[in-house]
Amino acid sequence: MLELKNITFTVDDNGGEKRIIRDLNLKIDNSRFVVITGPNGSGKSTLARIIMGIEAPTSGKIYFDGKDITDLSITERAKLGISFAFQQPVRFKGIKVHDLLRLSAGKELSVNEACSYLSEVGLCAKDYVNREVNSSLSGGELKRIEIATLLARRTKLSVFDEPEAGIDLWSFQNLIRIFENMQKDIKDSSIVIISHQERILRIADEIVLLADGEIKKQGSADEILPELIGTTAAVNACDKLM
């Protein structure tokens, strides 16, 4: 279980202090699919980076399976079983896709095993397994490869920051299947996704609506989604709620 207690995050704003996250409390139980949504600038991506340890909270505590991880590094959190997928995936010049998958899995992977992860995200494995993770890959290709690395890691908590960004329609349609399979295949695993997409919101066990750095609403998709989309609109209606 992940628990955030009284998390506040501030940044310097021309000599003043600007609060991005405001005294936030959130629990994510095991075996849950949680989507965090809200208007642009609400603090969603910042919250995701705080969970992974990319950003340190100004105040508050973070617990994972009962252990205080507030001061742990990204590497230490990864070893405990937390994965993170960036909105804009990182490029690794000189590292081949096969090597990246092997590092993610933490063990030797045969070419066939590496190819199975690539196939799962819709890439023709033979065309990608020996390619470098560099600028020759498109944003959509990098996004799929990054998701494949999370599949290889098989961690208890996977955090995705807008996984639909920059990918094609086919990939987006298959994201849903991938997320569902991740929870089935990994015991007690949970997924946290930052997203505005209605199709992702619809399959959530729980939706957290964030605005102005605070949780405004939290509940099941059946409870929260009708307020977000109304009768006809897409989820970009989030901005109109506040």
Side-chain angles (χ1 to χ4, degrees):
M1 179 183 75
L2 178 74
E3 184 174 8
L4 285 72
K5 287 188 173 182
N6 306 116
I7 295 296
T8 294
F9 181 77
T10 63
V11 295
D12 180 72
D13 185 21
N14 294 321
E17 186 179 84
K18 181 178 180 180
R19 285 194 177 190
I20 307 299
I21 303 292
R22 303 168 182 269
D23 197 29
L24 182 145
N25 291 280
L26 178 64
K27 284 185 180 180
I28 297 172
D29 291 326
N30 294 337
S31 303
R32 301 291 286 172
F33 188 112
V34 179
V35 179
I36 300 174
T37 192
N40 292 334
S42 60
K44 303 184 301 298
S45 292
T46 298
L47 182 59
R49 292 196 296 268
I50 287 172
I51 291 171
M52 191 66 237
I54 299 167
E55 300 282 5
T58 305
S59 61
K61 292 289 186 179
I62 306 170
Y63 297 90
F64 184 61
D65 285 343
K67 178 182 176 67
D68 185 349
I69 64 169
T70 311
D71 297 323
L72 296 189
S73 67
I74 298 171
T75 301
E76 289 169 323
R77 295 185 197 203
K79 288 179 179 178
L80 289 176
I82 303 176
S83 295
F84 186 86
F86 290 89
Q87 185 176 345
Q88 299 295 329
V90 179
R91 300 175 190 270
F92 298 93
K93 186 178 180 180
I95 296 180
K96 292 184 178 181
V97 172
H98 187 185
D99 296 327
L100 186 60
L101 289 168
R102 177 177 54 79
L103 290 169
S104 298
K107 62 180 182 180
E108 288 299 323
L109 284 182
S110 68
V111 171
N112 285 340
E113 288 173 317
C115 286
S116 70
Y117 291 120
L118 295 173
S119 297
E120 183 72 12
V121 296
L123 293 176
C124 181
K126 66 179 182 179
D127 293 336
Y128 287 90
V129 69
N130 287 316
R131 287 184 64 176
E132 282 193 20
V133 189
N134 58 22
S135 59
S136 69
L137 295 168
S138 70
E141 289 169 328
L142 284 169
K143 178 72 74 171
R144 294 197 209 184
I145 290 168
E146 183 179 49
I147 293 171
T149 65
L150 265 69
L151 293 175
R153 285 209 66 211
R154 299 179 61 82
T155 50
K156 286 194 67 177
L157 177 64
S158 299
V159 182
F160 294 84
D161 189 1
E162 298 195 22
E164 70 276 8
I167 66 170
D168 55 53
L169 181 60
W170 185 96
S171 298
F172 179 75
Q173 291 171 336
N174 279 273
L175 276 176
I176 305 300
R177 175 183 55 80
I178 289 169
F179 294 146
E180 290 174 337
N181 287 343
M182 284 179 71
Q183 280 197 291
K184 290 177 184 176
D185 293 343
I186 307 170
K187 184 180 179 182
D188 295 331
S189 68
S190 292
I191 297 173
V192 176
I193 298 180
I194 308 299
S195 181
H196 288 134
Q197 289 293 333
E198 180 180 343
R199 280 175 288 180
I200 293 178
L201 289 164
R202 283 194 181 280
I203 65 169
D205 295 319
E206 193 170 352
I207 294 174
V208 177
L209 177 61
L210 200 65
D212 297 324
E214 300 176 337
I215 295 176
K216 299 296 184 180
K217 294 181 183 294
Q218 183 175 356
S220 69
D222 288 341
E223 294 171 325
I224 305 297
L225 194 56
E227 299 184 47
L228 296 181
I229 65 175
T231 56
T232 60
V235 175
N236 59 15
C238 284
D239 286 302
K240 298 178 182 177
L241 287 177
M242 303 303 149

